[in-house]
């Protein structure tokens, strides 16, 4: 793991080489630039790699560009007049950055949006059925979802408008699962949930990854929770990747500890000038 010396200008995928899992590469984000409305430059030189059966975490402060990365991968950028204007995205070695969300779902990429949007007037089961893309396996897939998410089975006929935040989060993950994805893009699932519930949901996500041959790209502000289930992590600031490494290394990284986990060696926030790596830190804070 390293902080790279020249901001966003690292050569294509050098960073990804650090992701030394033996699994096959599933997704490659190769130095993409993203603009909204043709003029608002939001991402620069963003690179990332997700391998099969991996949980990769994308961390960063508000406005860093995390959701934009997910939308670039899932094709949802287009509905917001956003576009990948440089670089490329490949999924199973196929170029996908010009494809629409429906095609990408068929290929196996599904994004679960921030905010747990459910169809409030439908029951849990009806919500799940909306997510099914394969009529022949709908019944099996429903049972599979209920197996992972017990509370949903118990409440299958309940209208979803009254569900708790945790139940809604389970429902949107289960609904995505109905499409049998190879890559699930999960945007801030822990937001506003009690720690125990976060643990429960992250535990299920971990087992999905193992049992369903699925990879997960997990956007989180809760760095500790995310790094505890992830294999690999990337940190973004101001539209650029500034740090990447194995999740256990990132957890021990002083910068991550201080800025994302709220910890420091001295038990208090240090002034930047006291810190040996002042320049590095300054660059990271952008
Ligand atoms: N549709 C849009 N049109 C114009 N600018 C946008 C649009 N969506 C996002 N942005 C801008 O892009 C930048 C990155 O936003 P993004 O939502 O990707 O950040 P984020 O890391 O997900 O933040 P948060 O943690 O708050 O969810 C922000 O400056 C935001 O204002
Ligand atoms: Mg976001």
């Amino acid at each position: 793991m390293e902080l790279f010396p020249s901001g966003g200008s690292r050569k294509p995928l050098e960073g990804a080489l650090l992701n030394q899992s033996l699994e096959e590469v599933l997704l490659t984000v190769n130095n993409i630039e993203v603009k909204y409305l043709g003029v608002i430059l939001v991402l620069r030189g963003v690179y990332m790699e997700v391998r099969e059966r991996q949980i990769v975490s994308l961390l960063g402060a508000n406005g860093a560009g995390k959701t934009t990365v997910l939308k670039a991968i899932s094709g949802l950028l287009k509905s917001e007049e956003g576009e990948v204007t440089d670089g490329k995205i490949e999924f199973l070695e196929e170029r996908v950055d010009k494809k629409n969300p429906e095609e990408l779902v068929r290929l196996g990429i599904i994004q679960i949006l921030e905010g747990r949007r459910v169809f409030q007037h439908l029951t849990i089961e009806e919500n799940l059925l909306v997510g099914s893309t394969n009529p022949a396996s709908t019944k099996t897939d429903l049972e599979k979802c209920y197996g992972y998410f017990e509370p949903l089975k118990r409440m299958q006929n309940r209208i979803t408008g009254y569900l708790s935040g945790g139940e809604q989060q389970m429902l949107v993950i289960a609904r995505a699962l109905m499409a049998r994805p190879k890559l699930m893009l999960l945007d801030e699932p822990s937001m506003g949930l009690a720690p125990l519930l976060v643990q429960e949901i992250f535990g299920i996500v971990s087992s999905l990854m193992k049992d369903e041959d699925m990879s997960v790209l997990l956007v989180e502000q809760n760095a500790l929770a995310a790094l505890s289930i992830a294999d690999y992590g990337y940190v973004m600031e101001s539209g650029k990747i500034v740090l990447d490494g194995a999740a256990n290394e990132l957890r021990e990284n002083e910068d991550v500890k201080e800025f994302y986990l709220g910890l420091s060696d001295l038990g208090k926030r240090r002034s930047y000038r006291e810190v040996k790596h002042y320049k590095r830190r300054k660059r990271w804070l952008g």
Side-chain angles (χ1 to χ4, degrees):
M1 184 188 72
E2 60 179 36
L3 279 162
F4 53 101
S6 51
S9 62
R10 189 146 64 160
K11 288 198 189 75
L13 292 183
E14 230 177 276
L17 294 177
L18 296 166
N19 187 345
Q20 284 171 341
S21 155
L22 297 174
E23 300 285 359
E24 294 292 318
V25 174
L26 190 62
L27 175 84
T28 311
V29 175
N30 196 338
N31 283 304
I32 58 166
E33 175 185 276
V34 166
K35 285 183 186 157
Y36 285 110
L37 300 163
V39 287
I40 308 169
L41 180 62
V42 173
L43 302 185
R44 284 166 295 165
V46 168
Y47 64 87
M48 191 169 292
E49 188 182 79
V50 179
R51 291 176 179 249
E52 289 181 343
R53 288 170 290 277
Q54 254 195 345
I55 298 182
V56 172
S57 178
L58 175 57
L59 309 174
N62 285 124
K66 306 177 298 296
T67 298
T68 302
V69 172
L70 296 193
K71 287 182 175 167
I73 298 167
S74 68
L76 290 174
L77 265 188
K78 295 170 190 76
S79 57
E80 297 197 22
E81 297 191 56
E83 197 188 353
V84 177
T85 43
D86 198 7
K88 59 182 178 178
I89 303 175
E90 286 171 318
F91 183 71
L92 291 170
E93 297 180 348
E94 182 181 357
R95 179 103 186 236
V96 293
D97 45 271
K98 304 286 179 232
K99 293 192 188 295
N100 63 44
E102 294 74 28
E103 287 174 278
L104 291 164
V105 168
R106 275 198 298 277
L107 284 176
I109 301 179
I110 196 154
Q111 177 168 0
I112 301 175
L113 293 164
E114 247 170 310
R116 306 169 190 145
R117 286 168 228 186
V118 296
F119 298 104
Q120 302 218 344
H121 302 293
L122 301 184
T123 64
I124 285 189
E125 185 143 313
E126 287 163 347
N127 265 272
L128 291 175
L129 293 173
V130 171
S132 174
T133 53
N134 187 354
S137 65
T138 299
K139 207 161 178 293
T140 331
D141 294 342
L142 256 185
E143 285 314 311
K144 187 169 71 186
C145 285
Y146 289 143
Y148 283 110
F149 298 96
E150 265 295 309
L152 299 184
K153 184 172 175 63
R154 278 189 274 114
M155 299 187 294
Q156 53 185 274
N157 297 318
R158 199 177 296 176
I159 297 291
T160 54
Y162 302 103
L163 296 183
S164 72
E167 290 156 356
Q168 285 185 10
Q169 188 61 56
M170 291 185 190
L171 179 55
V172 291
I173 295 175
R175 189 174 63 201
L177 199 57
M178 290 293 291
R180 301 190 159 202
K182 297 188 182 87
L183 174 64
M184 196 181 264
L185 311 172
L186 199 44
D187 202 349
E188 308 226 21
S190 81
M191 195 182 316
L193 300 185
L196 264 184
L197 205 49
V198 173
Q199 234 176 32
E200 184 183 346
I201 290 176
F202 278 25
I204 297 173
V205 169
S206 266
S207 47
L208 282 177
M209 180 270 293
K210 289 194 196 85
D211 303 341
E212 303 299 323
D213 272 356
M214 194 181 81
S215 299
V216 181
L217 180 52
L218 173 64
V219 161
E220 263 299 336
Q221 291 207 29
N222 185 341
L224 193 56
L227 292 175
S228 67
I229 61 162
D231 300 286
Y232 202 84
Y234 293 85
V235 180
M236 283 189 84
E237 288 284 353
S238 310
K240 290 193 272 188
I241 302 289
V242 292
L243 179 68
D244 64 285
N248 55 357
E249 289 174 19
L250 282 186
R251 259 200 322 261
E252 294 309 315
N253 179 281
E254 289 306 321
D255 294 325
V256 173
K257 275 197 205 164
E258 189 163 345
F259 293 104
Y260 289 93
L261 308 182
L263 310 165
S264 82
D265 281 351
L266 306 174
K268 62 178 169 53
R269 183 148 290 204
R270 290 163 293 184
S271 112
Y272 303 138
R273 286 179 203 286
E274 290 170 37
V275 178
K276 211 165 75 193
H277 306 299
Y278 168 60
K279 277 193 178 151
R280 185 179 75 174
R281 192 180 298 270
K282 186 175 163 219
R283 188 176 56 249
W284 186 9
L285 291 173

